[in-house]
Amino acid sequence: MALVAVTDHAAERYLQRVRGALDPKLEVTSRVSRAVEADRVEPGERGAVLVRDLEDAELVFICIEDVPRGELIVITLWEGGEDPRVPKRFTDELRRAARATPRSWV
């Protein structure tokens, strides 16, 4: 089994799509580990690794591989299919709002 780490961004995206997770990072780690063991892995763009969830085939975890550490890092996730839980127009609006908000470096 590969060592799996989850970014804060991926955990937030998971919570947007799968409600009721008490510890989203632990849940994502578990789901990705099981999917990797079941060989639900495919190459993505720019060196990414796509891991398709076992419970929901439309849920895809986008990962990068840290080869020296032997770690798979979940950086985000997306939903395929005709009827995603979070419509693209909503996630696009969140992205626009984030760009418009000034960042504080305090």
Side-chain angles (χ1 to χ4, degrees), residues 19-100:
R19 305 250 189 273
L22 291 177
D23 187 346
K25 287 187 177 187
L26 181 60
E27 200 166 310
V28 169
T29 298
S30 176
R31 289 174 85 144
V32 169
S33 294
R34 287 193 312 267
V36 168
E37 286 179 10
D39 200 29
R40 304 269 304 195
V41 178
E42 56 192 78
E45 295 180 17
R46 295 183 232 142
V49 177
L50 306 180
V51 179
R52 194 166 296 274
D53 190 58
L54 289 174
E55 297 172 35
D56 179 355
E58 298 298 332
L59 191 61
V60 180
F61 299 96
I62 293 82
C63 309
I64 56 173
E65 193 172 7
D66 184 343
V67 176
R69 292 185 175 165
E71 189 173 50
L72 193 61
I73 303 168
V74 183
I75 56 172
T76 192
L77 59 103
W78 56 270
E79 258 185 302
E82 297 296 319
D83 192 24
R85 285 169 278 229
V86 178
K88 186 175 182 334
R89 63 182 163 71
F90 178 74
T91 55
D92 288 348
E93 185 58 36
L94 287 176
R95 190 175 300 119
R96 277 192 290 280
R99 282 190 206 124

